[in-house]
Amino acid sequence: MNKLKVEDIIKKKGFEKITSLTAYDYITAKILDEAGIDIVLVGDSLSNVIQGNRTTIPVSMDEMLYHCKIVSNAIKRSLVIGDMPFMSYQISLKDGIRNAMRFLKEGNCDGVKIEGGYEILELVNKLTVYGVPVMGHIGLMPQRVNLYGYNLAKDEELVNIAKKLEEAGVFSIVLEKVEYKLAKKITESINIPTIGIASGPYCDGQVLVFHDMVGLTQTKFKFVRKYLNAYELFTNAVKNYIQDVKLGNFPSLEESYEG
Ligand code: KIV
């Protein structure tokens, strides 16, 4: 099984849809990798999903790197992308370069994802020159919700922004909550793949938060298809365990060691 490279992802555009899910831990990453997911995203959504925060803003660089490391330990084939958290690239170009490189050096990632438009072009360009693959992220940018909210992105300017990001060197762009006809237009305007979330079927690939997709989180977003009700399954398993222990049904002698 060959490890996917950035060029393999780019080549899929127009031929094969690209699949991506988030993972924040070893076992989930192993499941995704073995199932054949193309891109494992260690998203800053771990701030919500793993840490229980209201937004993605609190998660730190060190916490992101910890999760990237344990995810990377499981990966044989997928491309692993680390999400640059709030405050890791906005303060200075130098900070942005250093932190992006830490994702490769310490987090064992294959590349980074950065939310932003024109304001990150210089950073993308520098990182690309130094060999750090960058995935863009436009439309709804969760790190900016305090000012811009969770609204649907409809601004035609996104087409230009996507073109500029491509020129600066990104190898793909996440489109989050972009009106689906606009997402189609962006996808058709650039030569690199778009990976959509809540942006309709015309993107070159799709990404979801794993915990939403398997029903571990109890969110009810229209764009999430739940393939499992894991929250209920896990809860029932725990209740059955509690009952078995209390009734003395677990462990049985077959589950016990004899000297
Ligand atoms: O942090 C994240 O999980 C993301 C995606 C879902 C695109 O940015």
Side-chain angles (χ1 to χ4, degrees), residues 235-247 249-251:
T235 304
N236 288 339
V238 173
K239 282 184 179 166
N240 289 339
Y241 168 76
I242 292 171
Q243 198 182 29
D244 281 351
V245 172
K246 286 203 188 286
L247 293 175
N249 291 339
F250 176 80

Side-chain angles (χ1 to χ4, degrees), residues 20-24 41-49 56 64 83 113 115 135 137 142-143 174-176 195-197 207-210 212 223:
S20 180
L21 284 169
T22 60
Y24 318 112
L41 174 67
V42 186
D44 61 356
S45 52
L46 77 82
S47 175
N48 311 92
V49 177
T56 57
M64 287 302 302
D83 211 358
K113 175 168 84 57
E115 291 180 15
M135 175 184 259
H137 182 154
Q143 292 174 17
V174 166
L175 304 183
E176 180 158 358
I195 314 289
I197 174 160
V207 60
L208 281 177
V209 167
F210 172 81
D212 291 341
F223 69 90

